[in-house]
Each structure stands twice: as C-alpha cells, then as structure tokens.
Amino acid sequence: MERLPKQHHAATRRVLRQAWELDDADKAEKLIRNLARRLDQQWPGVAASILEGLDEILTVVRLKLPKDLRRSLACTNIAENMMGTIRRVTRNVKRWRDAGMALRWVAAGMIEANKGFRRLKAHKQLSVLRAALQARHNRMTINPVAHVRRAA
C-alpha cells in the first residue's frame, strides 16, 4: 500500500479484503490476479509484490479455516509487534561478534515481546488449524507431484 498513491488505497484494500473473506481459494486467486493485472500498467512493482505474496495471502483461505481464526491469522500485527521489540532490544548492540550472539539477542527480544502478547481471539479454534495443517501435510506427503504441478 505504501507504494501506491493514496487515492488507490481504498479500492486496493477492498479487493484484498474481498479475497480474504471468500471461502473459495480459486475465486480469491482470480480476484487478486485481476487486481495485480490492473495495477501492473502504472505500478509494476506493486503488482509484482502482490503476485509474489499470493500463496501467503491465500494460505488461510486454502486451509478452509473458520472465519474468526482466518481473521486472526491473516493479521500481521503479532509479527510486526515482535519485530519491533527485537529491534528495540538489539539497537544498542554496537559490535556483533558472531551469529550465536545475534541469535541470543533475538531470543532475548522474543522473550521480551512475549510479555506483551495477549491470547489469540480465536484460540479455541486452534485445534481446527492443527487438523487442517495435518491434513495438508498428509496430502503433500502422499502425492507430492500433484501439488508441484498445481503450483506451477
């Protein structure tokens, strides 16, 4: 959104929200691809970014999760909050000695961020997520070639 002019924010948000709220992943994908095609003329970078994230955008739709759980998982606030806390915790480190040190500081930032986490609104539906992920994993391990063909 930040790379689009303000007058296009509302329409773009509306299309993305419609796609997220659809229960049919194929229809949602068509909607997003049409949006990318329209934006490609004037803002090819935005269109490419949308298409690059297409699988991630539709993951919760493809898993056929309940709407409340989809809404909770589609939000990036949790990750953004944690990344902001990690940045704040690590900003005073002047000299990174090795990867182990970086990992320790990131872990410290994650522990600090954990203090501010609240319970997921749809936490009672997490068993549905687990079952959907397990079913997807089972499908992919039984017939991995079919999933590769569909993705291509």
Side-chain angles (χ1 to χ4, degrees), residues 65-79:
L65 300 175
K67 287 213 187 267
D68 290 339
L69 186 57
R70 278 196 342 215
R71 190 173 297 119
S72 292
L73 296 175
C75 179
T76 60
N77 290 350
I78 296 168

Side-chain angles (χ1 to χ4, degrees), residues 96-124:
W96 295 97
R97 291 186 182 90
D98 56 20
M101 180 182 179
L103 288 173
R104 286 190 301 275
W105 275 95
V106 168
M110 292 172 93
I111 290 168
E112 184 67 25
N114 184 38
K115 294 175 185 174
F117 288 167
R118 293 185 309 272
R119 182 177 282 164
L120 193 66
K121 287 182 182 175
H123 69 278
K124 292 181 180 177

Side-chain angles (χ1 to χ4, degrees), residues 78-95:
I78 296 168
E80 290 171 11
N81 179 336
M82 184 172 55
M83 294 305 293
T85 303
I86 291 169
R87 273 189 217 97
R88 184 176 45 78
V89 167
T90 61
R91 92 174 131 222
N92 290 329
V93 178
K94 303 298 180 214
R95 184 168 171 261

